[in-house]
Amino acid sequence: MKLFAGLLVFFLVSRVCSAQNLLLPLKISSYNGSGESLLDKRSALSGGISLASQPAGSVTFLNMLNNLKGDIGRGYYLEILIGTPPQKMNILVDTGSSNFAVAGSPSDNVKAYFKPELSSTYKSNDLAVSVRYTQGSWEGYLGTDVVTIPKGPNGTVTINIATILKSEQFFLPGINWQGILGLAYRMLAKPSSSVEPFFDSLVKRMGIPDVFSLQMCGVGLSLVGEEQSSPAGGSLVMGGIEPNLHKGDIWYTPIKREWYYQIEILKLEVGGQNLNMDCREYNSDKAIVDSGTTLLRLPMNVFFAVVTAIKQTSKVEKFADGFWSGSQLACWPKGATPWPYFPEISIYLRGLNSTQSFRITILPQLYIQPMADIGVQMECYRFGISSSSSGLVLGATVMEGFYIIFDRAQKRVGFSTSSCAVIDGSPVSEIAGPFSAADLSSNCISKQSRTEPALWIISYALMALCGITLLISIILLIIPCSRHSGNGLTDDSSLIRHRWK
């Protein structure tokens, strides 16, 4: 969200983690990589008929299997045909935003862009729109056009589409996608919640169930370098659940608020040891499931506690702080994979029965992530967890271990172990439960985060207050005053924080 005149931004100051002597030798390499997202390939899955979550009976999702590809370190994208005649675009799948937007002008970093003037079905709304993310932003104009998803629900549907005419650090060098598909709720849509999001339009106009599910198959594969020709696979199933994409039962947690997919975290364990933090710390600001964020992002206090616990339980000697902060890679001799030297991490989620919980566990193969080789003798890895000033985010670091169901109809998110979360025949993720949550607070979300509309109202009120203050100040300057303190209203106590990842 744009910052308004007269408001100051507060920045959180990151603390530096102290190094600790452990047991396994390694070398640290400086790393100037850009941001967030995972990659690489998995073989296509075959076949499948599943029951939709709505009463319509059996539905086949065969044509949606392996309809995603992973861009090197920058997310998973879906092929979509836009306009008449159709223009083919690769679109990033993002469960942490709600606008559908495509490049609408030439750019050095996009291979193709949408040309509205060539589509006979495009209609402009002449409405400006801008979206800011944790990394990157864009500006453009809203319109409508027809879209078809070759490996999606059958049919063509008219949807809202933003053409991106200006952007900063959004289209990064080497990407294979030209737009973004926001799959969150309309409360996050820009410029207002009156803009119907893409998936809402599919549900309304195609009559599919209000549920989609996501599998991302990039676990254990190099995040940078040579595998552009064979990117990671994945599946976005629109309208139901595909049994071939997961193993075992599906465990559900309630959606606490319908803006992001906000859920409730009860506790974290590192190497089986409880961090013993107040559960409200895990949900500070919010806790969400977001495919558009690469890493597992943790609130500051939780991040420092997790890093400390990993240091205490791992067997690594002279680990530099730069590794934990994401500015350096850790390198080992070829063939000496570091995963056996790190602990598993478990996240407990509240169950549909509020007195119970279940846990999702990621092994080190998910959060100690291979990068490009350095030279001939070394293999390098990055830390797939980072600190966050805007809440806990289950990004691709976690999501690649699970098949995740976004059941909007029943206001719940489901987790099951992914059929492709396997390295050398061994699974790298686990789910267990149920566990009693009787010893925890009945509500670990101590304070509801302000919604986007509320932030707009607050910001307008503050702008009006600043305007009145400015007017009074001008009057005081013009009209002599025998006693004038000179103490005007400051904006130091005002803060508008964008809610984007």
Side-chain angles (χ1 to χ4, degrees), residues 53-54 94-100 131 133 160 181-201 203 209-212 252-263 286-291 404-414 451-453 499-501:
S53 64
Q54 298 293 315
D94 180 20
T95 63
S97 67
S98 299
N99 281 84
F100 177 56
V131 176
Y133 307 89
N160 290 303
L181 171 55
L183 290 169
Y185 290 97
R186 65 192 304 156
M187 182 179 289
L188 296 183
K190 303 294 183 180
S192 74
S193 58
S194 64
V195 177
E196 184 176 77
F198 187 102
F199 193 72
D200 294 57
S201 298
V203 171
D210 194 8
V211 56
F212 66 90
Y252 286 96
T253 187
I255 294 174
K256 304 304 292 186
R257 298 186 61 212
E258 296 173 275
W259 55 331
Y260 299 95
Y261 292 97
Q262 182 177 354
I263 58 176
K286 59 184 175 294
I288 64 174
V289 185
D290 180 8
S291 65
I404 301 181
I405 295 89
F406 296 84
D407 188 347
R408 296 149 54 102
Q410 300 188 56
K411 299 182 180 181
R412 60 185 186 173
V413 176
T451 64
E452 288 283 320
R499 294 293 179 177
W500 298 101
K501 37 175 203 311

Side-chain angles (χ1 to χ4, degrees), residues 5 18 24 73 133 150 154 172 189-190 224 268 288 292 299 310 366 376 395 436 454 471 493:
S18 58
L24 180 71
Y133 307 89
N154 292 328
L172 300 174
K190 303 294 183 180
V224 175
L268 263 68
I288 64 174
I310 292 176
L366 282 164
V376 179
S436 173
L471 180 60
S493 62

Side-chain angles (χ1 to χ4, degrees), residues 265-277:
I265 309 294
L266 300 186
K267 66 179 179 180
L268 263 68
E269 291 178 347
V270 175
Q273 299 299 309
N274 189 352
L275 292 184
N276 289 317
M277 301 182 73

Side-chain angles (χ1 to χ4, degrees), residues 66-386:
N66 210 43
N67 59 1
L68 299 181
K69 287 183 170 49
D71 203 358
I72 300 286
R74 298 180 181 93
Y76 289 75
Y77 56 87
L78 174 73
E79 182 183 293
I80 296 181
L81 304 178
I82 307 171
T84 308
Q87 301 176 41
K88 183 171 72 172
M89 312 285 285
N90 291 330
I91 307 297
L92 182 72
V93 172
D94 180 20
T95 63
S97 67
S98 299
N99 281 84
F100 177 56
V102 296
S105 63
S107 169
D108 292 338
N109 295 328
V110 295
K111 298 178 180 178
Y113 65 94
F114 177 57
K115 304 174 182 65
E117 67 276 8
L118 299 183
S119 174
S120 62
T121 46
Y122 177 80
K123 295 181 181 179
S124 174
N125 292 339
D126 292 323
L127 185 62
V129 58
S130 64
V131 176
R132 181 179 298 276
Y133 307 89
T134 297
Q135 177 177 310
S137 62
W138 56 260
E139 299 176 10
Y141 285 89
L142 282 175
T144 61
D145 209 336
V146 296
V147 301
T148 302
I149 307 171
K151 292 186 176 181
N154 292 328
T156 297
V157 63
T158 299
I159 49 85
N160 290 303
I161 179 172
T163 52
I164 299 173
L165 303 180
K166 180 182 178 182
S167 65
E168 292 185 7
Q169 296 184 323
F170 181 71
F171 297 113
L172 300 174
I175 59 168
N176 287 318
W177 45 267
Q178 301 88 42
I180 187 167
L181 171 55
L183 290 169
Y185 290 97
R186 65 192 304 156
M187 182 179 289
L188 296 183
K190 303 294 183 180
S192 74
S193 58
S194 64
V195 177
E196 184 176 77
F198 187 102
F199 193 72
D200 294 57
S201 298
L202 291 190
V203 171
K204 180 185 295 185
R205 294 176 177 84
M206 288 188 168
I208 66 173
D210 194 8
V211 56
F212 66 90
S213 49
L214 186 59
Q215 182 195 56
M216 301 154 68
C217 295
V219 63
L221 297 165
S222 177
L223 299 171
V224 175
E226 64 277 7
E227 294 172 332
Q228 290 275 15
S229 60
S230 54
S235 300
L236 173 63
V237 177
M238 290 159 275
I241 302 168
E242 174 49 58
N244 282 336
L245 299 182
H246 70 95
K247 300 176 180 178
D249 295 332
I250 299 172
W251 295 80
Y252 286 96
T253 187
I255 294 174
K256 304 304 292 186
R257 298 186 61 212
E258 296 173 275
W259 55 331
Y260 299 95
Y261 292 97
Q262 182 177 354
I263 58 176
E264 186 177 8
I265 309 294
L266 300 186
K267 66 179 179 180
L268 263 68
E269 291 178 347
V270 175
Q273 299 299 309
N274 189 352
L275 292 184
N276 289 317
M277 301 182 73
D278 187 321
C279 65
R280 288 171 293 186
E281 294 263 21
Y282 305 126
N283 300 277
S284 176
D285 191 77
K286 59 184 175 294
I288 64 174
V289 185
D290 180 8
S291 65
T293 296
T294 302
L295 307 182
L296 167 59
R297 304 190 69 212
L298 302 173
M300 288 288 186
N301 292 342
V302 180
F303 175 75
F304 294 133
V306 167
V307 169
T308 299
I310 292 176
K311 287 181 177 181
Q312 291 173 347
T313 55
S314 65
K315 302 173 183 177
V316 181
E317 183 183 3
K318 297 180 181 177
F319 234 157
D321 292 333
F323 176 73
W324 307 111
S325 66
S327 62
Q328 292 180 299
L329 300 179
C331 302
W332 283 267
K334 276 188 176 293
T337 56
W339 298 319
Y341 301 96
F342 289 87
E344 61 187 29
I345 297 175
S346 296
I347 302 170
Y348 286 73
L349 308 177
R350 193 178 296 278
L352 296 180
N353 180 340
S354 62
T355 64
Q356 294 182 335
S357 68
F358 65 94
R359 71 170 179 240
I360 59 175
T361 298
I362 59 172
L363 274 61
Q365 288 88 333
L366 282 164
Y367 72 86
I368 304 296
Q369 301 168 346
M371 302 292 288
D373 294 348
I374 303 295
V376 179
Q377 302 299 323
M378 307 296 289
E379 292 179 343
C380 298
Y381 298 78
R382 76 166 178 183
F383 190 45
I385 305 174
S386 71

